[in-house]
Structure formats: C-alpha cells, structure tokens
C-alpha cells in the first residue's frame, strides 16, 4: 500500500504556473527523485506535497500512523502533528532548517521535545548518538551550528530531521553548494541512514549523479510539468523524451 498519493496537483502564482497536473505515489521505503533544470517546478512540487505550500488544486493523501489523511482538509493542528512527528524536511540551505543560535545538541533535542521527550539526560544521550551517526564529533554538542562548515551544518540538519524516525523525508537540493568530496560523504551517510531506518524519501536535485545514487524512480520536470518518469536507471540510461536526452547529455545546464 502506498505511503503517499498525489493526484492532479497544480500551483499557480497569478498567471505564472509553478507546477501542473502532478500525480505520483510513493511506497514505504522508496526514494523518488525529481530532476530538472532551474525553474522546472520541482521545488514547487516538493513544497506542495510536503504541506509547506497549499496547492491551487489537486490532492495529497498521506498514510499516517493513524490512517489515511487528506493533507488539504485536515485541521491545522493535525497537519502540524504529521509534519512534526511523521515527516522531515531538509532545506537546500541548512540555515533555513537549523536554529543557528542554539547548540548542535539543542537543535536535535528540540525535535525530541516536540515529540514528548522530557528527560534531559536521555535527550542529551540521543543527541550525542545522532551526532555520531552523521559523523560530527560529539565533543561539539554544545557548539552553535554557526561555527560549523556547510557540510557539517547539512549533516546536523539531517540528524535533526531523522532523530524522531519520520516515515517520510523531503530533501531540497541537499548537496547544492558543497564541494564534491563533501557531497560524496554526505550522500553516503544519508543513503545508509535511510536504508537502515526504512524511510521513504522524495529528493529534488538538478544533479543526475545524486539522483542515480539515491533514487529508485525519477520524475523529469520541464516548465512545471512531468515529461518523463520511470525507474532511475531506465530513465538515465535510455531517456525517451528529447528534454531528458538533453539533460543526460549535459547539454542543458542547471
């Protein structure tokens, strides 16, 4: 049974179409990649599907621990509960997903507090465990993220999102702006964590190498619509749509 069902989602900004007629489903443990050049609409889709932006039309249904929920009609409190307890969102700029003035441990512990944890020693122990999981020295638990490198900030943001074991993780260009070697280590850590925890994920990226490494299936977007979809290797090794062929041959730049 799918974890997520999206039907006919569209988003307009006045006369500008952000995305149109987007339908997809996501199975438990599956990773879906959404690729396309800048302005293709992929981030708009991610925000609509994750509940961070209200679609102009269409529906998003999520299989929560309490059953199917229509994210467009649930109460504000129920939507907040789902987004806090069962979903995670990793921003392209980690500063948008972290509280820069509190400690690294505080960033992780805050998510635990939101989920009902109250014992300080247990929260701190869990924060140390997750710093180790994302390969950040636990001795830096009391350091603010502003003192971390970009790669460390992104790993901390991942820890902050995964500490509560969400069912679904959304990622918006998580490797953008990072050095190649830093990207590779981040992706290796992320792939291992998602696989061990059995989390489903939707990742937006312009980097086809990232999509190939992480995603089971791909959606290729152009001008707000999906032009091709299928298994990742199938789409990248034998692209059918001319736009996808251009992407794969690196004629189009992100």
């Amino acid at each position: 049974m799918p974890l997520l069902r999206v039907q006919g989602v569209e988003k307009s900004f006045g006369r500008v179409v952000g995305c149109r007629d987007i339908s997809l489903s996501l199975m438990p443990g599956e990773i879906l990649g959404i690729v396309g050049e800048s302005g293709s609409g992929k981030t708009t889709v991610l925000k609509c599907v994750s509940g961070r932006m209200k679609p102009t039309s269409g529906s998003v249904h999520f299989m929560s621990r309490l059953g199917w929920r229509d994210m467009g009609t649930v109460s504000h409190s129920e939507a907040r509960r789902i987004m806090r307890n069962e979903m995670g969102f990793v921003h392209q700029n980690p500063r948008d997903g972290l509280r820069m003035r509190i400690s690294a441990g505080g960033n992780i512990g805050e998510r635990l507090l939101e989920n009902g944890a109250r014992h300080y020693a247990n929260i701190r122990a869990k924060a140390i465990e997750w710093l180790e999981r994302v390969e950040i020295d636990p001795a830096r638990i009391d350091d603010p993220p502003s003192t971390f490198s970009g790669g460390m900030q992104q790993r901390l943001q991942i820890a902050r999102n995964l500490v509560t074991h969400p069912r679904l993780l959304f990622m918006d260009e998580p490797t953008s702006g990072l050095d190649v070697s830093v990207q590779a280590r981040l992706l290796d850590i992320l792939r291992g964590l998602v696989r061990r925890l059995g989390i489903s994920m939707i990742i937006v990226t312009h980097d086809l190498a990232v999509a190939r490494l992480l995603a089971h299936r791909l959606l290729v977007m152009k001008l707000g619509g999906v032009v091709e979809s299928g298994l990742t290797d199938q789409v990248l090794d034998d692209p059918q749509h001319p736009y996808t062929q251009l992407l794969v041959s690196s004629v189009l730049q992100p």
Side-chain angles (χ1 to χ4, degrees):
M1 180 179 294
L3 180 69
L4 185 73
R5 291 192 308 222
V6 177
Q7 288 289 330
V9 162
E10 301 194 3
K11 179 64 180 179
S12 298
F13 305 92
R15 296 183 178 180
V16 178
V17 176
C19 65
R20 63 179 185 280
D21 196 24
I22 304 298
S23 297
L24 61 90
S25 63
L26 189 71
M27 299 300 290
E30 185 179 28
I31 301 175
L32 175 68
I34 305 178
V35 300
E37 63 183 336
S38 179
S40 62
K42 55 189 187 295
T43 295
T44 300
V45 171
L46 193 72
K47 289 181 178 179
C48 287
V49 172
S50 66
R52 279 153 180 78
M53 184 182 290
K54 186 176 178 60
T56 305
S57 60
S59 64
V60 177
H61 289 84
F62 174 68
M63 175 56 82
S64 80
R65 295 186 178 101
L66 301 178
W68 280 108
R69 293 293 186 269
D70 182 339
M71 299 301 292
T73 61
V74 295
S75 66
H76 179 69
S77 61
E78 175 74 350
R80 280 181 54 84
R81 182 197 68 77
I82 291 172
M83 293 171 67
R84 184 178 64 242
N85 297 345
E86 302 192 54
M87 295 179 178
F89 194 101
V90 175
H91 296 263
Q92 177 177 353
N93 184 344
R95 289 176 173 267
D96 294 332
L98 295 171
R99 295 186 60 188
M100 303 303 289
R101 295 185 178 181
I102 69 173
S103 68
N107 268 277
I108 297 173
E110 185 175 56
R111 288 300 294 267
L112 294 169
L113 285 168
E114 290 175 347
N115 280 267
R118 292 294 179 266
H119 194 282
Y120 175 78
N122 290 343
I123 292 172
R124 189 170 178 86
K126 184 63 72 171
I128 289 173
E129 174 191 334
W130 272 91
L131 289 175
E132 291 175 336
R133 284 193 179 199
V134 296
E135 299 184 359
I136 295 175
D137 184 353
R140 303 203 62 180
I141 187 172
D142 295 316
D143 294 349
S146 58
T147 66
F148 291 0
S149 68
M152 289 176 65
Q153 289 177 359
Q154 198 61 291
R155 298 202 305 273
L156 179 61
Q157 190 186 183
I158 289 170
R160 175 181 166 90
N161 275 276
L162 295 187
V163 66
T164 54
H165 292 221
R167 309 187 76 195
L168 177 56
L169 181 66
F170 300 97
M171 303 195 78
D172 185 11
E173 301 278 9
T175 62
S176 179
L178 300 178
D179 292 339
V180 174
S181 60
V182 177
Q183 285 186 27
R185 191 64 201 131
L186 175 69
L187 291 171
D188 190 47
I189 292 169
L190 178 63
R191 183 170 59 172
L193 287 172
V194 169
R195 183 174 61 247
R196 285 195 295 273
L197 296 173
I199 295 172
S200 299
M201 183 165 71
I202 298 179
I203 180 170
V204 158
T205 182
H206 66 263
D207 190 329
L208 298 185
V210 171
R212 188 185 288 275
L213 182 67
L214 291 178
H216 300 117
R217 290 190 296 119
L218 285 186
L219 298 182
V220 182
M221 292 193 63
K222 178 184 181 183
L223 299 177
V226 175
V227 297
E228 189 164 352
S229 64
L231 297 175
T232 299
D233 287 344
Q234 181 183 43
V235 171
L236 297 182
D237 292 341
D238 186 24
Q240 299 300 303
H241 193 278
Y243 176 75
T244 311
Q245 293 168 2
L246 287 173
L247 280 180
V248 171
S249 65
S250 300
V251 174
L252 289 177
Q253 297 299 314

